[in-house]
Amino acid sequence: MQPFDADFFRSHVLVPEAALLLIREDLSNQPKWAGKVVPRDVAFKVLQKSAAYGKAMFAEDDGTAGVADQAVRQRAKIRRKEIEKEEKEAAEDMKRQRSSHGRSKAERKEIGYFEG
């Protein structure tokens, strides 16, 4: 058996391990995992699911993709734009909510932020 070359080691060992560590860290910020250690197998399942998504969303089109693959990519591109729009709207809502905290109840009611 020959030793791994640097490119193989980087792409088949270091990158996947770094991805698992980042996924575990990201999951640990979710309420479900608060104060707990995220198991490696949980992170691995997320990595597997995200790999399929990544291939569909970010694969280079070399002209060999079939009609179904092209349809999936097109739908993924549309959904990505929808998500970006939703995130932008949510950020704008948060900004409006933060700016309304210093206003009186009458001012908040006038602009639609009064809930009481």
Side-chain angles (χ1 to χ4, degrees), residues 13 26 43 48 52 87:
V13 178
D26 190 45
Q48 287 177 317
E87 289 174 346

Coordinates of all heavy atoms in Angstrom, one line a residue, residues 13 26 43 48 52 87:
V13 N -9.6 13.3 3.3 CA -9.5 13.2 4.7 C -9.7 14.5 5.4 O -10.7 14.7 6.2 CB -8.1 12.6 5.1 CG1 -8.0 12.6 6.7 CG2 -7.9 11.2 4.5
D26 N -22.2 23.8 14.2 CA -23.4 24.5 13.8 C -24.6 23.8 14.5 O -25.5 24.6 15.0 CB -23.6 24.4 12.3 CG -24.7 25.3 11.8 OD1 -24.8 26.4 12.2 OD2 -25.5 24.8 10.9
A43 N -23.9 14.3 12.6 CA -23.2 15.2 11.7 C -23.0 14.5 10.4 O -23.1 15.1 9.3 CB -21.9 15.7 12.3
Q48 N -24.1 13.8 4.5 CA -24.6 13.0 3.4 C -25.7 13.7 2.7 O -25.8 13.8 1.5 CB -25.0 11.6 3.8 CG -23.9 10.7 4.2 CD -24.3 9.4 4.7 OE1 -25.3 9.3 5.5 NE2 -23.7 8.3 4.3
A52 N -25.8 15.6 -1.4 CA -26.7 15.5 -2.6 C -27.3 16.8 -3.0 O -27.4 17.1 -4.2 CB -27.9 14.5 -2.1
E87 N -35.1 35.5 3.5 CA -34.1 35.9 4.5 C -33.9 37.4 4.5 O -33.8 38.0 5.6 CB -32.7 35.2 4.2 CG -32.7 33.8 4.5 CD -31.4 33.1 4.1 OE1 -30.6 33.7 3.3 OE2 -31.2 31.9 4.5

